[in-house]
Amino acid sequence: MATYFVGDLQGCFDELQLLLDRVQFNPTQDKLYLVGDLVARGDKSLECLRFVKSLGNAAQTVLGNHDLHLISTALGIKEVKPRDRVEAIFNAPDFEELIDWLRHQPLLVHNENQGFVMVHAGISPDWDLATAKTCAKEVETILQQGDIKKLISQMYDNQPERWSPNLQGIERWRYTINVFTRMRFCYWDHRLDFACKQPPKEAPPELTPWFNLDNPLYQRIPIIFGHWASLVDEPTPPNIYALDTGCVWNNRMTLLCWEDKQCFSQSAVKNYCDF
């Protein structure tokens, strides 16, 4: 039995299959974890959704920003972005079933037995693990059985930029969504920044990657995440595993075997940037 993690798919279905073939992934014995953003810029988002869903308990994903945007467009709250290649999803006979499955995926996965946390973008520098899990559960409950339209329609904002335990309602939920699905850099005082997407060495001096801030959680438990393609080949601290290596940007997809920490990579098999 083996445990694998894979970086953002973004519709890059063929590369995922090549990686799984290489490690002889067996869904009856192995487990595949996905760091979110199953859909968007690649040309096989429908295939990605169907495949991960078909794996049942052999796979577990978390929600990424592109996944939430797909839910938003499915609800009629936002329009499909011109560069997103999701037309096939909207035309699929199982469209509603796929969207319903997607909205029931978590924002955070904590595996106590294997000792890791998986999210799409990161964990707030002001959170301990209990707070992170509580905040994730609050939003997941609304997505799965609450007023999802109200939540999704109000999540598109950069405020509040700093955590406070006194946050309530949509401000608390929006901060939670932004941390789990959008965060890259923070100011040194822990405020979130959403403008900078460059590698850390090219960032303004007032900004630092979230994982470089002083949070004991970052040292205590391994955190696996994606979202940040420009981190490719950039060093990260111990316990921080950045798996988005930009396949959809014509780079590569990365698969991590948890037991021996071996990484497997698959170069993009087509020029996605032409889409």
Side-chain angles (χ1 to χ4, degrees), residues 184-185 193 195-204 207 209 228 230-231:
R184 293 184 181 91
F185 287 101
D193 169 80
C196 187
K197 300 181 180 180
Q198 286 84 3
K201 60 187 176 185
E202 298 176 16
L207 298 178
W228 198 344
S230 61
L231 277 182

Side-chain angles (χ1 to χ4, degrees), residues 124-246:
S124 169
D126 293 316
W127 286 348
D128 57 19
L129 183 56
T131 303
K133 293 172 72 170
T134 296
C135 290
K137 191 63 178 178
E138 290 173 2
V139 173
E140 291 163 6
T141 298
I142 301 173
L143 289 173
Q144 295 168 17
Q145 52 189 301
D147 192 344
I148 183 174
K149 285 190 175 182
K150 183 177 181 180
L151 173 65
I152 295 291
S153 65
Q154 297 183 73
M155 74 176 185
Y156 290 93
D157 198 290
N158 294 338
Q159 299 293 327
E161 59 185 358
R162 177 74 193 269
W163 168 253
S164 167
N166 296 322
L167 289 175
Q168 296 181 2
I170 187 60
E171 288 196 338
R172 181 180 175 96
W173 303 330
R174 186 189 296 129
Y175 178 87
T176 296
I177 291 171
N178 284 340
V179 162
F180 282 132
T181 69
R182 296 181 60 209
M183 179 176 66
R184 293 184 181 91
F185 287 101
C186 294
Y187 291 90
W188 290 98
D189 64 0
H190 295 193
R191 287 178 295 125
L192 306 181
D193 169 80
F194 298 109
C196 187
K197 300 181 180 180
Q198 286 84 3
K201 60 187 176 185
E202 298 176 16
E206 64 268 21
L207 298 178
T208 190
W210 61 267
F211 48 75
N212 280 346
L213 291 169
D214 186 18
N215 183 342
L217 174 61
Y218 301 164
Q219 290 80 47
R220 188 168 64 84
I221 188 168
I223 301 173
I224 300 117
F225 70 105
H227 183 59
W228 198 344
S230 61
L231 277 182
V232 60
D233 298 326
E234 289 281 325
T236 56
N239 274 351
I240 300 294
Y241 294 84
L243 293 187
D244 182 8
T245 46

Side-chain angles (χ1 to χ4, degrees), residues 100-113:
D100 185 69
W101 171 81
L102 193 61
R103 67 181 281 193
H104 282 82
Q105 302 312 303
L107 289 167
L108 176 149
V109 170
H110 175 212
N111 188 311
E112 296 186 48
N113 291 331

Side-chain angles (χ1 to χ4, degrees), residues 57-75:
N57 292 333
Q60 177 63 68
T61 187
V62 289
L63 289 169
N65 53 301
H66 285 288
D67 305 317
L68 286 174
H69 187 72
L70 176 63
I71 294 172
S72 177
T73 56
L75 294 172

